[in-house]
Amino acid sequence: MDIRFLDARTARGSIDQHLCHLVGAIGTPGFERAMLALAKQTIQCAHLTAFSVSKLRPPRVLLAVNDGDLPIARRLASKYIQDYWSLDPANSVVANEPRTGFGAMIRLQSEEIEDASYRRDCYRSVHLIDRVSIVRSHGRDTVRLNFYRDGPRGRFTDGDLDVVANLANLLGQVLQKHNDIRPSLSKEDRFEQYCNRLGAIAPQLSNREIQICAEIIRGLSSQAIASKLGVSINTVLTHRKRAYARLGISSQNELSHMLLH
């Protein structure tokens, strides 16, 4: 595990059009995708997650996004918090980070993870091999923004690490600003929050079942869900039936009560 402590010099760096787009997306449903676009453009990032933790409350997911339509990163983030947070060696740094104002950058490669289940579920199952994290303190909270590379993209280079270090302070502030104003977002943006919650409380559900349940909570009809996901209405009904059976419920009201209370 490689650790670099950051200073004022590494908080500066060149900013391209993707960063301008990211700043414009603060507080909007497009923020996560804009952050991923920047990470893909600069360091060929495959997954992106962010967590916040303090002594007053357990860790929570601030951001989780990946290539493709399925919320794979969000599912993994929920499982990571529930099962593997304490096994991550980077969290010993997270606990002590506030000694510096600018934070730290931590690199963790998959083979450095000792626990086989953690390594399998959060890395090998989705072909992730390398992670670089920015760790910063914000008031009583410590925030960690994670960039992941997969097998096809290869490992991060020294040049990639320099890019992350240059953008660390700015990205940390942008992320915090977005989450400070996030409660005012529209109902449409609640979809990812519902997926996160479902993944945490019902890991037995498939990705598609989580998507469909999240859309049901948002009030979409079966026909609207089918149209949005590009599947048949029978497929939606089948997944809904299976999800309800796995959850031990029989109605939308029960699903809403389970998720929102």
Side-chain angles (χ1 to χ4, degrees), residues 72-239:
I72 297 172
R74 193 157 292 276
R75 285 288 306 276
L76 293 179
S78 298
K79 187 169 185 59
Y80 166 72
I81 282 181
Q82 181 177 350
D83 297 333
Y84 301 123
W85 180 268
S86 63
L87 299 176
D88 190 333
N91 286 329
S92 61
V93 179
V94 170
N96 297 307
E97 186 280 325
R99 59 180 163 159
T100 72
F102 288 92
M105 185 172 71
I106 306 170
R107 182 183 187 181
L108 180 69
Q109 300 183 60
S110 58
E111 60 268 24
E112 296 179 277
I113 299 172
E114 295 182 1
D115 185 86
S117 296
Y118 172 25
R119 188 170 60 247
R120 180 195 65 233
D121 291 347
C122 294
Y123 285 82
R124 290 184 176 173
S125 66
V126 289
H127 311 295
L128 299 180
I129 61 172
D130 206 352
R131 186 187 80 193
V132 174
S133 304
I134 299 169
V135 183
R136 300 177 72 250
S137 57
H138 181 79
R140 296 183 177 182
D141 291 352
T142 299
V143 175
R144 177 152 55 90
L145 176 60
N146 306 295
F147 305 88
Y148 300 84
R149 287 276 283 271
D150 57 15
R153 291 174 173 85
R155 299 185 187 279
F156 290 109
T157 66
D158 288 342
D160 294 328
L161 300 183
D162 289 339
V163 170
V164 174
N166 286 333
L167 294 175
N169 192 44
L170 192 148
L171 290 182
Q173 292 184 43
V174 167
L175 175 63
Q176 194 61 51
K177 180 64 175 179
H178 173 71
N179 281 282
D180 285 344
I181 64 176
R182 188 174 175 81
S184 63
L185 296 179
S186 67
K187 184 178 179 181
E188 173 69 25
D189 192 49
R190 299 288 179 186
F191 172 76
E192 296 252 352
Q193 296 179 4
Y194 295 156
C195 286
N196 179 34
R197 176 64 175 157
L198 279 165
I201 67 175
Q204 71 271 28
L205 297 181
S206 69
N207 287 333
R208 185 63 86 187
E209 287 166 353
I210 284 179
Q211 283 185 308
I212 289 172
C213 285
E215 298 292 15
I216 290 171
I217 294 295
R218 288 183 53 240
L220 269 66
S221 67
S222 296
Q223 184 61 60
I225 296 172
S227 178
K228 180 176 180 179
L229 299 181
V231 298
S232 71
I233 190 169
N234 286 335
T235 297
V236 172
L237 295 175
T238 297
H239 282 298

Side-chain angles (χ1 to χ4, degrees), residues 8-16 19 162-163 165-167 170:
R9 294 187 300 276
T10 58
R12 304 188 187 99
S14 60
I15 309 300
D16 64 10
L19 184 54
D162 289 339
V163 170
N166 286 333
L167 294 175
L170 192 148

